[in-house]
Amino acid sequence: MSNYSIQTISENYKMTAFGVTFEDFNDWAGNAAKTAAKKAEITENGKLAELLALADGQEYQINYAIDRKPWRGFGVMGEFDVEGAVVLDFLAGEYLVVPGTGADKDRLADEITGKVFGGLLQEVTGYTYVGPGNSTFVKADENGGFSGEMWLRVKRVEG
């Protein structure tokens, strides 16, 4: 069994982010390229740094459904008015929290996401993922590597 916990968030919260919409959820290579291009764009034009300066400095990779289409972006906790950014609503409730560690900061969020959607969600009994989104953060740890967590809203199911 993989390592995870269930945490309760008592109040709705918002995240502000820049991202891209996917037309075909199953186009893994194309979607990865679109995501990487957006990350490079907002890094180079300073938009991501602007968001990080407004918030607490912690960057999140966010997966969300916007107009019933999959969307992936990069942003911060909180609601901020920044041109081109979207504000996403995350609801109070129980969240599945999945930790991970690694040596490569830029790959760790994708590794945790892959672990969750590659089988961990099926291992978690008594809960089902309800969205509408999830977020993953990565930060440096004291050992020179990186640690991160993915947070997904879940609901308890009988059965």
Side-chain angles (χ1 to χ4, degrees), residues 36-47:
K38 176 53 84 172
K39 177 76 180 267
E41 173 193 325
I42 62 175
T43 299
E44 289 164 15
N45 69 16
K47 289 289 192 182

Side-chain angles (χ1 to χ4, degrees), residues 22-94:
F22 301 145
E23 297 304 321
D24 177 2
F25 185 71
N26 293 311
D27 177 11
W28 299 107
N31 292 341
K34 280 177 79 171
T35 302
K38 176 53 84 172
K39 177 76 180 267
E41 173 193 325
I42 62 175
T43 299
E44 289 164 15
N45 69 16
K47 289 289 192 182
L48 184 58
E50 181 181 349
L51 261 187
L52 291 168
L54 290 169
D56 62 5
Q58 178 61 60
E59 177 187 329
Y60 293 81
Q61 179 174 292
I62 303 163
N63 297 298
Y64 207 83
I66 296 178
D67 296 328
R68 297 196 174 128
K69 292 191 181 220
W71 180 95
R72 175 174 278 178
F74 304 92
V76 298
M77 190 75 66
E79 181 175 6
F80 302 99
D81 185 12
V82 176
E83 183 182 346
V86 296
V87 175
L88 305 167
D89 291 307
F90 284 81
L91 304 175
E94 292 181 298

Side-chain angles (χ1 to χ4, degrees), residues 63-65 89-96 117 121 126-134 151-157:
N63 297 298
Y64 207 83
D89 291 307
F90 284 81
L91 304 175
E94 292 181 298
Y95 278 74
L96 173 68
F117 290 105
L121 277 177
Y127 291 90
T128 187
Y129 174 47
V130 293
N134 59 70
W151 288 64
L152 308 91
R153 192 166 67 93
V154 293
K155 118 180 142 179
R156 193 180 301 269
V157 291

